[in-house]
Amino acid sequence: MTMTKANTDLRLSTDRVINAAPEKVFNAWLDPELLARFMRPGPDMSVPSAKSDAREGGTFEIIMRVGDNDLQHAGTYREISPNNRIVFTWESAFSPAESEVTLDLKPQGDGTHITLTHVTFYDEEKRDNHLGGWSRILETLAAELA
């Protein structure tokens, strides 16, 4: 069996201004119903199941569907600072166990500037694939909250 090591030096960051108040953007990331509507990193993906125990130490699970394949994503909330910051682990077949995502929210005009930072990947290709996925997720979130 080949083991792939996690590279803790690899990181990505993407940001976007969303035309909704920070409270609305913050709550969307913790609400399973809303998660199911915007956690779609690809154009032909759906989310048949999303669960969230939105508290520090609580967990979440999101099943992303591509064709006939279900891809499980899960994590643990490490920090929840209302309307400001969410930090969670990101566990999937494409990410090492040490992978972590931070969402920073700041008011900007009538909207919210969100910065998503994801650290620790297996390799540069997986980091770049995640960058595309997270960018699309933020785009879909912006459309959902418009």
Side-chain angles (χ1 to χ4, degrees), residues 39-81:
M39 288 294 282
R40 294 179 284 137
D44 300 322
M45 296 183 80
S46 64
V47 176
S49 174
K51 300 174 187 168
S52 173
D53 178 13
R55 59 181 174 84
E56 291 183 358
T59 60
F60 67 89
E61 179 185 79
I62 300 166
I63 305 296
M64 298 177 186
R65 182 169 290 159
V66 183
D68 294 333
N69 296 319
D70 285 348
L71 308 170
Q72 181 182 21
H73 296 75
T76 300
Y77 296 107
R78 290 188 167 162
E79 179 183 343
I80 297 177
S81 176

Side-chain angles (χ1 to χ4, degrees), residues 110-140:
D110 292 335
T112 302
H113 182 254
I114 182 170
T115 302
L116 183 153
T117 305
H118 187 162
V119 298
T120 308
F121 296 90
Y122 287 124
D123 55 41
E124 291 178 4
E125 180 183 0
K126 287 193 176 36
R127 178 201 57 201
D128 294 347
N129 289 341
H130 276 85
L131 177 58
W134 285 122
S135 296
R136 184 168 179 90
I137 285 168
L138 292 182
E139 179 182 321
T140 306

Side-chain angles (χ1 to χ4, degrees), residues 76-90:
T76 300
Y77 296 107
R78 290 188 167 162
E79 179 183 343
I80 297 177
S81 176
N83 310 327
N84 184 38
R85 177 179 255 213
I86 302 171
V87 180
F88 53 87
T89 62
W90 186 249

Side-chain angles (χ1 to χ4, degrees), residues 12-28:
L12 70 80
S13 183
T14 184
D15 66 330
R16 185 175 186 98
V17 175
I18 295 177
N19 192 21
E23 180 180 5
K24 199 169 178 182
V25 176
F26 176 84
N27 288 334

